[in-house]
Amino acid sequence: QKSLPDGATVIPLIFSFDETRLTLFRNKVAYPFYLTLGVIPKEIRRRPSRQAHILLGFLPTTKLSHIKNKDVRREAVSNLFHACARRMLAPTKEPARNGMRLTSGDGLVRRGHPLMAIIATDYPEQLRATCCKNGTCPKCLVPKDKLGDNQVYEPRRIKDVLTALDAIDSSAEQFVDACTEAGIKPIQHPFWEDLPYADPFLSIS
């Protein structure tokens, strides 16, 4: 990863999302996608009454039940999630790369770079966000049979994953093989793929 230019002020973006059941009957659900900032003190962020989070939008809750093949259906649902999240976060790419003028409380104008810092969600959503497979760690390369051994394993490398994702321009078989080798599911263009300075594996809280 390249470093930020001199004089940059990082504005940490904290994302949270979770499919939420709204009713006890008929399975009505919503899938809100929230954003808050790491520069806001935690004692303010953690209190809903302080309104430190904004709702970016609602992700689709469709199960795509018209697709009969289970594997194809799961892949389509994952691709739909990433396509929508990618659209939501598209406005952050330009200021993340080049910065934006922000006036702070002390009256100084700084060049702020809003960067993805934390994905605060539960395990199933961590897997969905990082494209990792069920039963694996979304942060490191610990083998499935070694989970719980309390050992330190090598972290997942974003460069290796991005290289695998580049194989999408090759054949479908090569793309799937490259993603399998990198330890991720073959998702077409994850939402963090072209976010400047983003590393989803380091962002898992």
Side-chain angles (χ1 to χ4, degrees), residues 60-72:
T61 59
T62 176
K63 303 303 180 184
L64 300 180
S65 55
H66 64 284
I67 302 177
K68 301 308 178 183
N69 185 292
K70 290 184 179 180
D71 292 336
V72 174

Side-chain angles (χ1 to χ4, degrees), residues 102-201:
L102 297 170
T103 303
S104 58
D106 55 13
L108 294 178
V109 177
R110 294 179 169 85
R111 190 180 73 248
H113 294 253
L115 306 180
M116 185 178 80
I118 296 176
I119 300 173
T121 188
D122 57 12
Y123 179 68
E125 302 303 332
Q126 291 175 0
L127 296 181
R128 177 169 287 187
T130 57
C131 306
C132 293
K133 298 179 180 179
N134 190 37
T136 64
C137 176
K139 294 184 68 68
C140 74
L141 297 172
V142 54
K144 281 187 177 183
D145 59 346
K146 300 295 183 181
L147 287 169
D149 283 359
N150 199 28
Q151 299 293 320
V152 177
Y153 288 87
E154 187 177 0
R156 293 181 181 272
R157 291 186 295 269
I158 184 64
K159 288 184 178 179
D160 294 344
V161 172
L162 291 177
T163 298
L165 292 173
D166 285 341
I168 194 171
D169 294 328
S170 306
S171 67
E173 183 178 353
Q174 287 177 308
F175 177 59
V176 171
D177 289 345
C179 290
T180 301
E181 179 68 22
I184 62 170
K185 293 181 285 188
I187 301 301
Q188 300 175 24
H189 305 301
F191 72 84
W192 38 261
E193 182 182 23
D194 57 355
L195 290 180
Y197 308 102
D199 189 332
F201 311 113

